[in-house]
């Protein structure tokens, strides 16, 4: 029974990774489960064993992405503390938004991306607030500002990571 559950978990992981690739290539409006199944190297019936619908898959994908962000942030922070930890959070935001591979969707489907970001911002802000608590006076407000500033740089790229880091430091009250 354990092997079966592990196999299902691996299939689910492959499907979620394939979803990222299909969304990056085709966007949300042309997204379909047949493309995901083909990218994952499985049949549609196998895909339906893990996800009952396109909406179910996209909801799971959003959670999958958030978990990946959590893991990457944890790796970036390591065992840092104090000011060093706060600086690591700021650098994480710069690096993350500078390297996120689905940036092309902004040009293909800006309205969809903005809707998705509107749903993701509270979760990202909450994640960041948890990491900067004790480092700033109002971690909830500062985290919201940090995420929104980083998102602005993501939506309107200019290759100005140094300016982004400077703006994040100002928002966090770091001199």
């Amino acid at each position: 029974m354990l092997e079966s559950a592990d196999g299902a978990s691996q299939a689910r992981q492959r499907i979620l990774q394939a979803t990222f690739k299909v969304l990056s290539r085709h966007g949300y409006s042309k997204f379909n489960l047949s493309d995901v199944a083909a990218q994952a190297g499985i049949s549609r019936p196998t895909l339906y064993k893990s996800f009952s619908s396109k909406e179910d898959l996209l909801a799971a994908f959003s959670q999958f992405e958030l978990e990946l962000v959590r893991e990457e942030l944890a790796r970036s922070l390591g065992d840092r503390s104090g000011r060093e930890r706060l600086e690591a959070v700021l650098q994480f935001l710069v690096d993350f938004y500078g390297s996120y591979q689905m940036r092309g969707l902004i040009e293909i489907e800006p309205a969809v991306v903005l809707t998705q970001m509107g749903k993701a911002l509270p979760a990202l802000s909450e994640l960041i607030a948890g990491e900067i608590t004790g480092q700033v006076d109002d971690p909830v407000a500062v985290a919201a500002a940090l995420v929104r500033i980083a998102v602005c740089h993501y939506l309107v790229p200019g290759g100005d990571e140094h300016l982004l880091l400077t703006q994040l430091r100002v928002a966090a009250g770091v001199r």
Side-chain angles (χ1 to χ4, degrees):
M1 188 64 133
L2 183 59
E3 290 177 7
S4 174
D6 188 43
S9 176
Q10 288 177 357
R12 185 178 174 85
Q13 185 82 2
R14 279 197 358 244
I15 292 166
L16 292 168
Q17 291 168 341
T19 299
F20 182 87
K21 291 177 183 176
V22 171
L23 283 172
S24 295
R25 227 179 5 251
H26 301 296
Y28 287 88
S29 64
K30 295 181 181 176
F31 178 82
N32 68 65
L33 297 180
S34 294
D35 288 342
V36 173
Q39 181 68 46
I42 60 171
S43 67
R44 270 185 69 128
T46 300
L47 187 143
Y48 278 110
K49 287 179 183 176
S50 296
F51 303 99
S52 61
S53 67
K54 177 179 172 178
E55 292 72 26
D56 184 31
L57 174 56
L58 289 173
F61 178 71
S62 292
Q63 290 303 310
F64 173 72
E65 278 200 303
L66 185 57
E67 187 55 36
L68 291 176
V69 170
R70 273 192 189 98
E71 290 170 5
E72 185 61 33
L73 178 59
R75 274 192 296 277
S76 296
L77 298 179
D79 60 353
R80 292 182 175 97
S81 61
R83 167 88 184 255
E84 191 176 289
R85 185 174 187 83
L86 180 58
E87 283 288 340
V89 168
L90 302 180
Q91 189 61 54
F92 167 80
L93 288 168
V94 170
D95 295 342
F96 176 74
Y97 284 107
S99 66
Y100 189 61
Q101 297 175 359
M102 287 180 62
R103 177 177 269 162
L105 284 179
I106 295 167
E107 295 174 14
I108 299 170
E109 298 175 303
V112 175
V113 171
L114 291 175
T115 299
Q116 292 293 336
M117 285 190 149
K119 293 174 185 176
L121 287 180
L124 291 171
S125 294
E126 184 179 324
L127 177 64
I128 297 300
E131 298 300 342
I132 63 174
T133 297
Q135 305 300 314
V136 297
D137 290 335
D138 187 345
V140 172
V142 171
L146 295 175
V147 169
R148 288 182 180 272
I149 291 168
V151 166
C152 286
H153 279 262
Y154 172 75
L155 291 172
V156 185
D160 51 357
E161 281 111 10
H162 179 71
L163 178 58
L164 172 55
L165 184 57
T166 300
Q167 291 170 339
L168 294 174
R169 284 180 176 145
V170 169
V174 175
R175 306 271 179 229

